Amino acid sequence: ETSPQLQDTPAYFRSKALQEEIAVEHARSRGVELISVNPSVIIGPHDFKPSASMATVTGYLFDPFKLTYPGGVNIVHAEDAARGHLLLAQEGTPGERYLVSADNWEWQRVHETISELCRVSGPKITMGRKGAMLGTTLMELGSKLTKKPPLGTRDQAKLVGSYFWYNHSKAAALGYRARSTREALVDTIAWLLDSNHLSAEQKGQIRPSMDVETARQRLAQAASSQA
């Protein structure tokens, strides 16, 4: 398959494409089979690091302005992404690339769903690319003073208005299935509420919906059964 066009692409995406190129070349030189599995944005329980993807939830949830923006994203549950990797390792065709994703949603819908599940106010302001560039420039300047990573960067602001939507029909033809993005958000929020990644003050701002409470009970029972 052809390589993606990387001109003017933020460094994070260039690094992912470079990783794949190196993996393909290494496999070729070693004479081993390689299948490329490319997931969309992964979220879910047990993100102990946490990964940068977790900010998809927490960044909006604790934003006092409840900003949303044009464009769209594809969010997949971590368990589905993991199962997809295992499936494609067994059923995929060497040398092929497969997408592992779920629903294509506009950011407005993502943020409205998070608000619904946490019973917080919905999106208040839609910020375009120019506003995002200004805001992230100030964040980067502020980070030099605080010595802490900025909440947003100009590289990220360049993506405002983009639609990162994917079609996983190629993997689905081999048996891949993904739960809805809403379910991924439910499980992620449920796990966060019982993790140490949120402060007591942050947890106090959330009034979890019945779906989230049900997921908390399910995750707790699964954890106790594995103990």
Side-chain angles (χ1 to χ4, degrees):
E1 296 187 10
T2 58
S3 298
Q5 298 300 310
L6 300 177
Q7 186 177 2
D8 299 325
T9 302
Y12 174 81
F13 296 98
R14 293 198 301 273
S15 72
K16 294 301 180 183
L18 181 59
Q19 287 173 13
E20 185 180 82
E21 289 177 9
I22 292 172
V24 170
E25 181 57 36
H26 191 65
R28 185 180 296 116
S29 66
R30 294 278 180 164
V32 299
E33 296 180 339
L34 177 75
I35 297 170
S36 296
V37 182
N38 301 149
S40 57
V41 175
I42 301 174
I43 63 172
H46 315 300
D47 188 359
F48 295 105
K49 191 176 180 180
S51 66
S53 298
M54 187 60 77
T56 305
V57 177
T58 56
Y60 168 78
L61 192 53
F62 301 113
D63 173 11
F65 302 106
K66 290 294 183 288
L67 297 175
T68 191
Y69 25 87
V73 67
N74 188 298
I75 297 175
V76 63
H77 196 295
E79 290 181 5
D80 295 330
R83 291 192 181 102
H85 278 74
L86 292 174
L87 169 73
L88 293 167
Q90 297 174 330
E91 304 295 337
T93 301
E96 292 289 314
R97 179 188 296 124
Y98 298 86
L99 298 179
V100 172
S101 57
D103 300 326
N104 292 317
W105 279 15
E106 291 190 346
W107 279 111
Q108 177 88 18
R109 184 176 180 183
V110 173
H111 295 150
E112 287 174 349
T113 302
I114 294 172
S115 294
E116 171 216 334
L117 295 174
C118 297
R119 295 181 184 175
V120 299
S121 61
K124 298 177 181 177
I125 302 172
T126 299
M127 177 175 285
R129 187 173 298 179
K130 289 183 179 179
M133 285 296 291
L134 175 61
T136 52
T137 298
L138 295 174
M139 290 177 186
E140 288 182 345
L141 290 172
S143 73
K144 293 180 179 180
L145 299 175
T146 63
K147 306 301 181 183
K148 296 180 180 179
L151 294 176
T153 67
R154 283 172 289 179
D155 257 3
Q156 293 172 328
K158 292 177 184 177
L159 305 178
V160 170
S162 300
Y163 284 83
F164 293 93
W165 285 359
Y166 305 99
N167 183 337
H168 58 259
S169 59
K170 186 175 176 180
L174 299 179
Y176 169 73
R177 298 291 182 270
R179 70 201 77 185
S180 70
T181 292
R182 189 179 191 280
E183 291 175 276
L185 289 169
V186 167
D187 278 6
T188 302
I189 294 166
W191 180 78
L192 272 172
L193 283 169
D194 292 316
S195 75
N196 58 6
H197 292 307
L198 301 185
S199 67
E201 180 181 357
Q202 288 175 322
K203 292 178 182 179
Q205 298 175 35
I206 299 171
R207 294 180 295 119
S209 68
M210 182 62 69
D211 285 345
V212 172
E213 289 291 10
T214 300
R216 289 177 76 180
Q217 295 175 14
R218 172 168 47 79
L219 292 172
Q221 290 171 357
S224 63
S225 67
Q226 294 172 4

